[in-house]
Amino acid sequence: MKNKSLKYSTLRYLVIAILGIIAIWAASFYLLIIEEVYDNIDDGLKDSRIRILHEIESDSEILQTVDYGIAQFKITPLPIGNYSKKIHIYNSKMYMAYDNDDEPVRILQTIFKNQNQNYQLEIYTSTVEEDEFIENLLIALSALYIALVGSIILINHFILKKAWSPFYIILNNLKSYKIGTKKGFEKTNSEIIEFDELEAELSAMIDRNEKIYEQQKQFIANASHELQTPLAIAGNKLELLIEEKDITENQAHKIGEINEMLNRLKRLNKSLLTLSKIENNQFQHKENLNFNELIKQSLFELEMMTEFKKINVTIKENGIFQFEMNADLAGILINNLLKNAIVHNEQNGFLNVFISPEKISIQNPGENPLNSQFIFERFYKDEQNENSTGLGLAIVKSIVKIYPELSINYRFDSRHYFELEKK
């Protein structure tokens, strides 16, 4: 399900809530108004009853009003018997000449006695047409609902947008924040307590992460630097040991294996030290570089590896890829990309390099795609290779991060593609 924005969600819930509230309010308002109208009509009918009964005492001719007329009442004689004097009021319909149709009326019915004769008095009066009243009420409520929703949209767009502006500033700060940049968290100067607390907690969390990150970088740099000397000494001693005359072939083989492990540790240590220097921004000097020449130089240095695997190397130049950056970093970047394509190549494979002014594409054979989500992570190795440290592509990514105008991408289409592009 597609996620909705805070603004849209707030508006949706407000509109639904107001629709429910207006529906309940409309029903309550309708019942209240109808009750009030009937109450006023009933009071008028009761007053008319009192007046008619009073007039009958002085004018007995009124007792002859057996049909509804101008006076809007009629009197019907009743047989002898016991009758309740309780007033009964109800709704009915009666023909109205002005509408030429039956219209709703309210009728009061009561029994009274005059000279030992019981009479039924019925008084009517016109009342509201409920159908028309409901229709008019619905029209009025619809207009009110549209006006309220329109007002809410405007309020949500202007007032709520202003109220939530500190939140969006904080969100944008988080989006642009990258650990290790030492970029301060921009203050929003919000007048809302919750946003101030959120900002304070995020700032504290970022400060903690920055400190831990710096400690980790410092540890890697120190550890890598300190490991250089003992690794070099151990390697020298192994070389001296293997030159001894009295060692057996088996011992020489084992010393060779140990020496290979030491060489791998040296490569790993060198990679970690390079990463540390990159992240500590120790490569400041920039110059305009010709990457075509860098690629050719790097392939020349890696020629022994390509010849050992009998890899067919092809360079196709459709222009010169030039970019201003540190020369050492550019050399490491190109060397790691080419070395990755060689190390993970196959015997009698191929290595194709396509160069244009905007892109460098390095291609090598492969049967299955690599995990593009983790390919540039440290120590990630899709295939176990004793010559791989799992840091080559991580170093590539770290270098590219320094230069926002560059991007490195991986894709698979019957072969592996690593593409360095200008944005």
Side-chain angles (χ1 to χ4, degrees):
M1 186 177 68
K2 188 177 180 181
N3 291 335
K4 308 294 191 304
S5 68
L6 178 65
K7 182 179 176 181
Y8 175 83
S9 297
T10 304
L11 180 61
R12 182 181 63 175
Y13 291 133
L14 281 173
V15 169
I16 292 172
I18 286 177
L19 181 61
I21 291 169
I22 286 181
I24 296 171
W25 177 84
S28 303
F29 178 75
Y30 169 77
L31 294 174
L32 180 64
I33 291 297
I34 289 294
E35 183 65 28
E36 188 64 27
V37 168
Y38 285 161
D39 188 57
N40 289 332
I41 291 173
D42 293 349
D43 288 344
L45 289 172
K46 290 174 183 177
D47 182 69
S48 296
R49 169 184 169 277
I50 293 171
R51 291 175 181 274
I52 293 169
L53 293 179
H54 181 72
E55 290 294 325
I56 289 174
E57 291 179 358
S58 58
D59 185 4
S60 59
E61 289 293 325
I62 297 175
L63 294 172
Q64 304 304 316
T65 309
V66 294
D67 292 312
Y68 290 118
I70 297 174
Q72 294 184 324
F73 70 91
K74 70 177 181 177
I75 298 174
T76 306
L78 297 174
I80 297 172
N82 294 322
Y83 297 95
S84 172
K85 301 296 192 299
K86 188 176 180 180
I87 297 172
H88 178 52
I89 301 175
Y90 60 93
N91 291 325
S92 184
K93 283 195 173 185
M94 189 176 292
Y95 177 80
M96 297 291 176
Y98 71 89
D99 269 341
N100 194 27
D101 195 10
D102 290 340
E103 298 295 336
V105 294
R106 188 86 166 158
I107 297 176
L108 180 146
Q109 190 180 75
T110 185
I111 306 296
F112 70 93
K113 197 171 187 178
N114 184 270
Q115 296 181 356
N116 295 323
Q117 173 65 45
N118 290 315
Y119 295 92
Q120 177 178 276
L121 172 64
E122 291 178 294
I123 309 168
Y124 82 89
T125 185
S126 296
T127 185
V128 294
E129 295 187 35
E130 292 191 32
D131 292 342
E132 291 184 5
F133 181 72
I134 292 173
E135 183 180 344
N136 292 333
L137 181 62
L138 285 175
I139 292 172
L141 289 175
S142 298
L144 175 62
Y145 178 74
I146 293 170
L148 283 173
V149 170
S151 301
I152 289 169
I153 291 173
L154 291 175
I155 290 171
N156 193 61
H157 182 70
F158 294 107
I159 298 178
L160 290 182
K161 183 179 180 181
K162 181 175 178 60
W164 281 93
S165 60
F167 172 80
Y168 290 109
I169 293 173
I170 294 171
L171 188 61
N172 288 331
N173 285 337
L174 283 174
K175 286 180 180 179
S176 61
Y177 169 74
K178 291 182 180 178
I179 192 167
T181 58
K182 299 180 181 179
K183 181 181 177 182
F185 207 70
E186 181 184 349
K187 297 292 182 183
T188 59
N189 298 319
S190 170
E191 298 177 355
I192 300 172
I193 295 173
E194 288 78 5
F195 290 152
D196 285 341
E197 291 178 353
L198 175 63
E199 189 175 43
E201 291 299 322
L202 286 173
S203 295
M205 182 186 70
I206 287 171
D207 289 341
R208 288 194 300 269
N209 289 341
E210 285 289 345
K211 287 178 182 177
I212 293 170
Y213 182 73
E214 288 299 321
Q215 289 171 358
Q216 287 178 341
K217 284 203 306 181
Q218 192 63 39
F219 170 78
I220 291 171
N222 292 340
S224 298
H225 187 268
E226 293 299 323
L227 280 171
Q228 280 183 319
T229 302
L231 285 173
I233 293 172
N236 291 334
K237 288 188 175 182
L238 281 174
E239 288 177 4
L240 292 173
L241 184 60
I242 204 169
E243 292 177 359
E244 294 286 337
K245 296 180 179 179
D246 56 348
I247 64 169
T248 64
E249 184 179 346
N250 185 45
Q251 289 173 333
H253 179 70
K254 289 181 178 179
I255 291 172
E257 289 179 347
I258 296 170
N259 193 50
E260 183 59 34
M261 292 298 294
L262 277 176
N263 288 333
R264 185 179 177 189
L265 280 174
K266 287 178 184 178
R267 292 195 301 272
L268 179 61
N269 189 64
K270 183 180 178 182
S271 297
L272 287 172
L273 201 55
T274 302
L275 268 174
S276 178
K277 288 179 179 179
I278 293 169
E279 291 171 349
N280 287 323
N281 203 20
Q282 293 180 358
F283 298 91
Q284 294 286 341
H285 178 69
K286 292 182 181 180
E287 55 185 286
N288 195 20
L289 299 173
N290 183 330
F291 276 69
N292 298 49
E293 296 301 323
L294 286 175
I295 290 170
K296 292 173 184 177
Q297 178 63 31
S298 183
L299 284 172
F300 176 75
E301 294 171 359
L302 298 170
E303 191 173 2
M304 286 184 64
M305 294 178 66
T306 56
E307 287 181 353
F308 177 76
K309 280 194 168 184
K310 298 181 181 179
I311 296 172
N312 181 34
V313 179
T314 302
I315 301 176
K316 185 176 181 180
E317 299 176 80
N318 292 325
I320 298 174
F321 188 98
Q322 287 186 311
F323 189 75
E324 187 178 355
M325 66 183 295
N326 182 271
D328 293 331
L329 289 182
I332 294 170
L333 172 64
I334 294 300
N335 189 70
N336 281 10
L337 284 173
L338 292 173
K339 195 172 181 180
N340 175 76
I342 295 169
V343 169
H344 297 283
N345 214 308
E346 57 190 32
Q347 198 71 24
N348 298 313
F350 63 85
L351 172 58
N352 297 334
V353 182
F354 292 89
I355 307 172
S356 70
E358 300 298 322
K359 181 168 71 173
I360 296 172
S361 178
I362 298 173
Q363 306 168 14
N364 63 282
E367 295 182 359
N368 299 307
L370 303 174
N371 191 327
S372 58
Q373 187 177 357
F374 301 106
I375 188 71
F376 295 104
E377 296 294 326
R378 296 181 186 184
F379 301 110
Y380 173 79
K381 290 185 285 185
D382 187 68
E383 298 176 357
Q384 295 299 322
N385 190 306
E386 61 180 11
N387 294 317
S388 174
T389 62
L391 290 172
L393 293 177
I395 292 173
V396 168
K397 191 68 174 179
S398 295
I399 294 172
V400 170
K401 279 184 179 179
I402 299 174
Y403 302 96
E405 301 86 0
L406 288 178
S407 68
I408 182 69
N409 302 296
Y410 165 78
R411 64 186 178 89
F412 181 82
D413 185 8
S414 301
R415 61 183 65 180
H416 300 292
Y417 290 80
F418 283 91
E419 296 172 330
L420 182 68
E421 294 183 80
K422 294 178 185 178
K423 293 182 182 178

